[in-house]
Amino acid sequence: MLISCSNNHPVAASAADTSGAGRKWWKEAVVYQIYPRSFKDDNGDGIGDLKGIISKLDYIKSLGVNVVWLNPIYSSPNDDNGYDISDYRNIMKDFGTMADFDTLLSEMHRRNIRLVMDLVVNHTSDEHPWFQQSRSSRTNPYRNYYHWWNAERGKPTPRWSFFDVNSDAWKYDSLTKAYYLHYFSRKQPDLNWENPTVRREVDDIMKFWLDKGIDGFRMDAFQFVAKDTTWPVFPPGYEKDINRYYGMGPHLHDYLQEMNREVISKYDIMTVAEGAGSTLEDAHALVDPDRHELSMAYSFEGINLGHGSPDYSLLDFKKVYSKWDSAFAEKGWLSIFLANHDQPRMVSHWGNDSPAFRAVSSKMLTTFIMTMRGTPYYYNGDEIGMRNIRFDKIEDYRDIATINKYKEVQHKGGDLKAFLQEQQQTSRDNSRTPFQWDSTTNAGFTTGTPWIEVNPDYTSVNASAQENDPQSILNYFRHAVQLRKDNLVLVYGQYTLLDKDNPDVYAYTREGYGKTMLILLNFRAHPATVGPDVDLSHASLQLNNYPDAPSSDTLRPYEARVYEIMPD
Ligand code: GLC
Ligand code: CA
């Protein structure tokens, strides 16, 4: 399937840049995202852990990826699976110890894999000592670490909460007769970034981990950290577009520039904020290198298409990715991803997870991610084509987002059946089921009882079954990663959309570093043709997701082809 493959050379940040300045290791990286709770359980308690990850480092290395982004592993009461942190300088008991962490980091570095950690500082856990202090009295020195609204002022200005059972981001606390703000769950009170002492605390937390040698941060929910504390009233329906109303708050860029000055600029790291505001200008401002803020933007406009359902319009998909590419053609840098721990499975959302097309459509989507400009982020399990588990009862779910929304629908007398049906496509738990290593009990994830059910398809969908099959999704992923690493044109080269109005095929070229690559992706379960602006006369096939080479210009269902265009 990989038709030609040059030598495996390491990604070198120091190599000469034929197109001028701007080469960076994090632009040339392939990021592999690990959800630690579900990756590999070492001690049999049913929960993935750091020792489990360590035991799989050779597998991770074998993928060819060179950066790992680890979802939060800090001490946490786990209201939101680690996104509610009670101690930023310690490891969650379920996951192991700081000694395990130190081993993990050094074993990763020994294999030339860098580590990016999740930085969750829009909020803490309500069990964090800062919040315990803050809520204890109105005059406590930590009071101002969070946002409080004293009850004698009446009800606070409405704000919408992601995980609250009433969608209400203000929670009344009778101890001091005041409301505190929580954009996420009640156990995730929002930190007050307007307080400079809080920002100094965050700097210190970052330095603590950077001084251990980690290679960057993914900054959780970051577009919400800065708040307009005059608490303006928004028009009805504001909750449908909270990003526009209160994403990217007044001083967000000041805070980032300050953080860059105090911390980021002192290390060779990559930084990426979750979300990129609601306009291209917002996104640009985050990552324009002249502004000294972050490395790259992680925009949701693409991932939000289709709302988790495969019934999205390919024309819209092409439009969004082309728009973002052109907006960042000269300056700044993007992330390319089709899944993460907050999304359904890649193949279930963007491809076709039926037995006939699961493999071929997974490979096609992988081809897209590995041939676009921007740094690819690939979510663990997608490399073996894991699919949505589609729970049919609420008791199977573990995610606070699904559980609390269910309660809200129930409370309002809504249609619970319809809600559960929709969750089968959209719930975050679809991508949080245990990694399927092999066909033994619990997919080889744990010898105990897994914290969330294993997808019963593991007997056929697992890494071990794919390891030695040259045609497997897993080995295709490895080839696609290698192709990107071998061809800087796929990292930096100019992107041009072809056959723009084709509703079935995504076709584009990448040009630069003395090469032109042509990528053809059929997003449909039926054969599809390409328009006259796609010229295959000098095209030499480099990668194809079918075992037998194409015999015509017509693309087979979900076919992906990467060609190099040879000079006349
Ligand atoms: C981000 C995380 C998500 C988490 C939320 C609150 O969106 O990706 O998993 O629930 O922030 O921290
Ligand atoms: Ca464990």
Side-chain angles (χ1 to χ4, degrees):
M1 86 192 43
L2 184 75
I3 296 147
S4 79
C5 172
S6 52
N7 289 336
N8 179 358
H9 61 75
V11 177
S14 56
D17 176 7
T18 58
S19 68
R23 279 189 66 178
K24 297 277 184 220
W25 65 262
W26 40 263
K27 294 183 180 173
E28 296 172 21
V30 176
V31 180
Y32 183 67
Q33 183 191 345
I34 294 182
Y35 198 67
R37 207 171 180 77
S38 301
F39 196 61
K40 173 70 185 164
D41 175 23
D42 177 74
N43 65 351
D45 67 354
I47 301 173
D49 44 46
L50 299 188
K51 282 203 170 116
I53 300 174
I54 294 167
S55 73
K56 294 296 182 186
L57 283 177
D58 288 336
Y59 169 81
I60 296 164
K61 178 74 187 165
S62 81
L63 299 175
V65 302
N66 40 26
V67 172
V68 164
W69 155 27
L70 211 52
N71 287 108
I73 56 168
Y74 318 94
S75 303
S76 164
N78 276 311
D79 191 51
D80 182 23
N81 289 1
Y83 280 96
D84 46 319
I85 297 170
S86 52
D87 182 351
Y88 288 94
R89 291 178 178 79
N90 252 312
I91 303 296
M92 189 193 300
K93 283 201 183 63
D94 289 341
F95 289 168
T97 63
M98 192 60 89
D100 296 337
F101 174 82
D102 293 337
T103 308
L104 174 65
L105 181 61
S106 65
E107 286 298 308
M108 284 178 63
H109 282 170
R110 197 164 68 76
R111 291 170 175 81
N112 292 319
I113 301 170
R114 304 195 201 228
L115 177 61
V116 168
M117 305 255 292
D118 226 302
L119 182 70
V120 190
V121 286
N122 173 69
H123 44 269
T124 68
S125 163
D126 66 340
E127 298 180 32
H128 193 290
W130 296 339
F131 189 72
Q132 307 269 297
Q133 290 287 327
S134 184
R135 88 182 328 167
S136 67
S137 89
R138 286 189 180 187
T139 54
N140 186 281
Y142 287 88
R143 185 67 168 182
N144 208 19
Y145 270 44
Y146 297 85
H147 294 285
W148 290 97
W149 179 291
N150 292 339
E152 60 272 18
R153 295 173 67 196
K155 283 246 176 204
T157 315
R159 286 295 179 268
W160 185 84
S161 162
F162 284 93
F163 303 152
D164 188 73
V165 280
N166 301 321
S167 300
D168 180 357
W170 292 102
K171 168 92 176 85
Y172 182 68
D173 201 39
S174 57
L175 190 64
T176 57
K177 298 192 173 46
Y179 299 84
Y180 67 85
L181 184 74
H182 63 92
Y183 281 173
F184 294 90
S185 92
R186 293 174 182 183
K187 288 183 66 62
Q188 293 169 298
D190 281 48
L191 281 166
N192 177 8
W193 274 68
E194 281 53 63
N195 177 353
T197 317
V198 167
R199 304 200 298 274
R200 295 294 77 72
E201 296 267 20
V202 171
D203 291 348
D204 287 349
I205 292 166
M206 293 175 81
K207 285 185 201 149
F208 173 84
W209 292 98
L210 291 168
D211 290 340
K212 276 184 170 286
I214 72 160
D215 304 286
F217 286 109
R218 175 267 187 187
M219 295 155 59
D220 182 69
F222 208 77
Q223 48 191 356
F224 297 118
V225 297
K227 272 115 184 156
D228 181 347
T229 52
T230 64
W231 304 112
V233 177
F234 300 128
Y238 77 94
E239 71 280 358
K240 293 194 184 71
D241 199 358
I242 56 165
N243 235 347
R244 186 159 74 86
Y245 285 104
Y246 54 87
M248 313 296 280
H251 293 290
L252 186 101
H253 294 291
D254 301 331
Y255 301 158
L256 278 174
Q257 285 168 17
E258 179 185 73
M259 178 193 283
N260 190 296
R261 211 167 45 238
E262 298 298 320
V263 185
I264 296 173
S265 60
K266 302 191 168 140
Y267 302 84
D268 177 23
I269 57 172
M270 69 172 252
T271 49
V272 55
E274 182 197 21
S278 48
T279 63
L280 289 172
E281 290 69 37
D282 280 346
H284 250 283
L286 287 173
V287 298
D288 175 343
D290 295 335
R291 294 172 52 91
H292 303 287
E293 296 186 21
L294 300 173
S295 313
M296 65 180 101
Y298 188 95
S299 150
F300 286 137
E301 193 174 347
I303 200 91
N304 285 341
L305 290 171
H307 306 287
S309 144
D311 303 324
Y312 59 93
S313 145
L314 180 66
L315 291 176
D316 289 346
F317 188 92
K318 296 200 278 191
K319 223 180 274 163
V320 168
Y321 283 96
S322 303
K323 177 181 87 177
W324 280 85
D325 184 88
S326 71
F328 285 77
E330 303 294 328
K331 247 187 175 185
W333 194 251
L334 293 172
S335 317
I336 301 288
F337 62 100
L338 290 176
N340 61 38
H341 66 293
D342 294 328
Q343 298 290 328
R345 278 288 170 189
M346 174 176 84
V347 69
S348 303
H349 184 179
W350 304 104
N352 182 330
D353 68 8
S354 71
F357 297 120
R358 184 182 63 91
V360 74
S361 69
S362 289
K363 294 173 186 174
M364 185 275 290
L365 296 167
T366 293
T367 316
F368 167 73
I369 296 175
M370 293 304 158
T371 56
M372 286 294 282
R373 223 155 57 89
T375 300
Y377 284 67
Y378 205 88
Y379 185 65
N380 61 186
D382 286 339
E383 78 274 24
I384 56 168
M386 282 177 64
R387 53 190 160 186
N388 283 2
I389 188 160
R390 300 192 172 92
F391 288 134
D392 48 28
K393 47 182 198 309
I394 191 66
E395 293 74 27
D396 291 333
Y397 283 99
R398 299 289 174 268
D399 179 14
I400 183 168
T402 298
I403 294 170
N404 282 1
K405 267 295 162 267
Y406 181 89
K407 287 185 190 155
E408 189 171 5
V409 174
Q410 191 171 40
H411 185 69
K412 290 186 175 152
D415 186 345
L416 288 171
K417 208 169 141 224
F419 173 78
L420 284 177
Q421 229 158 37
E422 183 227 308
Q423 292 298 302
Q424 293 191 334
Q425 193 59 52
T426 59
S427 173
R428 310 193 295 180
D429 276 346
N430 283 306
S431 63
R432 297 177 177 185
T433 62
F435 192 100
Q436 292 161 209
W437 292 105
D438 57 40
S439 59
T440 64
T441 318
N442 294 323
F445 163 70
T446 181
T447 53
T449 308
W451 71 277
I452 187 171
E453 209 179 295
V454 176
N455 193 321
D457 69 9
Y458 74 90
T459 47
S460 57
V461 179
N462 65 68
S464 152
Q466 296 186 27
E467 189 58 55
N468 298 315
D469 171 5
Q471 299 301 332
S472 67
I473 310 175
L474 175 60
N475 282 315
Y476 186 88
F477 174 71
R478 290 174 171 142
H479 289 310
V481 171
Q482 192 60 48
L483 186 74
R484 185 176 183 91
K485 286 162 74 172
D486 289 340
N487 289 282
L488 279 175
V489 57
L490 293 176
V491 178
Y492 296 108
Q494 182 192 324
Y495 159 96
T496 308
L497 177 65
L498 303 177
D499 201 6
K500 167 166 139 309
D501 298 321
N502 190 324
D504 303 325
V505 177
Y506 197 166
Y508 49 95
T509 54
R510 304 292 314 279
E511 284 170 81
Y513 288 84
K515 274 191 188 179
T516 300
M517 308 290 267
L518 168 67
I519 296 96
L520 304 180
L521 308 168
N522 179 4
F523 273 68
R524 301 291 169 224
H526 53 74
T529 51
V530 283
D533 65 342
V534 176
D535 175 10
L536 295 180
S537 55
H538 298 279
S540 150
L541 194 64
Q542 306 295 307
L543 184 68
N544 180 223
N545 62 346
Y546 270 79
D548 46 326
S551 59
S552 86
D553 289 359
T554 302
L555 296 168
R556 292 164 282 187
Y558 297 106
E559 183 163 10
R561 300 182 193 172
V562 180
Y563 292 102
E564 184 176 342
I565 304 296
M566 297 305 183
D568 289 336

